[in-house]
Amino acid sequence: MSLEKKYQKEIKQILAKYPPEQKRSAVMPILYLAQREEGYVNKAAMQDIAKMLDITETEVASIIGFYSLYHDEKAGKYRMQVCNDLPCALRGADEFLNNLCGNLGIKVGETTADGLVTLEAVTCLAACDKAPMFQTQGPDGIKYHENMTVDRTVELIEALKRAEGEAK
């Protein structure tokens, strides 16, 4: 089923906020809608979005590639995005990220064996003075975690695992 048919009512509401000649401006809220269930925007959804907004698939893909809130690949239930731009690196973000990888037994861009966490490095989450920091994206939205240590982060992941176990 096409994205437009699946979310007909919501897409109509989104498009109503923009003049018809500027409907391409609706790309971000529609991307969010497309990503809501699976946690990423698949190729078919990108094609649907391009078609309904009269833009190219390349334009849709470039928006997904630019923003850390949109994804074009399936990942763990939670995306843990560690900021490692220069200001954060100066406050220990690279060492934090390397040690976290060692504790989780994965590399940046990989997902834990249980499928719970995908670890990503991103540029600028606007908390340079509070690094090491990261955001988690998951079913409960986006949450920021500042002035983190590896131990506190591992505790957070363990809490997510416990919550998953209780939910089953």
Side-chain angles (χ1 to χ4, degrees), residues 14 23 27 33-34 37 60 65 67 72 75 79-81 95 111 117 119 123-124 127 129-130 134 138 146 148 154 163:
I14 291 168
K23 67 181 176 180
V27 68
L33 180 67
E37 276 184 50
V60 175
Y67 291 100
D72 60 2
R79 289 179 186 266
M80 183 173 284
Q81 298 178 317
E95 182 180 354
T111 302
V117 175
L119 188 60
T123 302
C124 198
D129 61 322
K130 295 173 181 71
F134 59 87
E146 300 170 335
M148 293 302 288
V154 169

Side-chain angles (χ1 to χ4, degrees), residues 140-158:
D140 53 347
I142 298 171
K143 295 184 179 175
Y144 288 84
H145 306 272
E146 300 170 335
N147 297 309
M148 293 302 288
T149 64
V150 171
D151 290 339
R152 286 180 44 217
T153 304
V154 169
E155 287 174 15
L156 172 71
I157 294 168
E158 290 302 319

Side-chain angles (χ1 to χ4, degrees), residues 68-100:
S68 63
L69 297 177
Y70 301 115
H71 313 287
D72 60 2
E73 294 180 352
K74 194 166 182 70
K77 186 166 185 175
Y78 292 90
R79 289 179 186 266
M80 183 173 284
Q81 298 178 317
V82 178
C83 182
N84 71 339
D85 64 0
L86 182 58
C88 288
L90 292 171
R91 290 186 47 93
D94 290 334
E95 182 180 354
F96 170 80
L97 191 55
N98 288 334
N99 291 337
L100 188 56

Side-chain angles (χ1 to χ4, degrees), residues 36-76:
R36 190 170 61 194
E37 276 184 50
E38 300 293 323
Y40 74 107
V41 181
N42 63 36
K43 182 88 170 143
M46 282 189 232
Q47 292 168 343
D48 289 346
I49 292 168
K51 188 176 178 181
M52 83 175 79
L53 299 180
D54 295 326
I55 58 178
T56 67
E57 287 178 51
T58 302
E59 289 172 304
V60 175
S62 69
I63 292 167
I64 293 169
F66 181 78
Y67 291 100
S68 63
L69 297 177
Y70 301 115
H71 313 287
D72 60 2
E73 294 180 352
K74 194 166 182 70

Side-chain angles (χ1 to χ4, degrees), residues 125-139:
L125 294 174
C128 304
D129 61 322
K130 295 173 181 71
M133 65 85 54
F134 59 87
Q135 68 182 10
T136 53
Q137 293 181 28

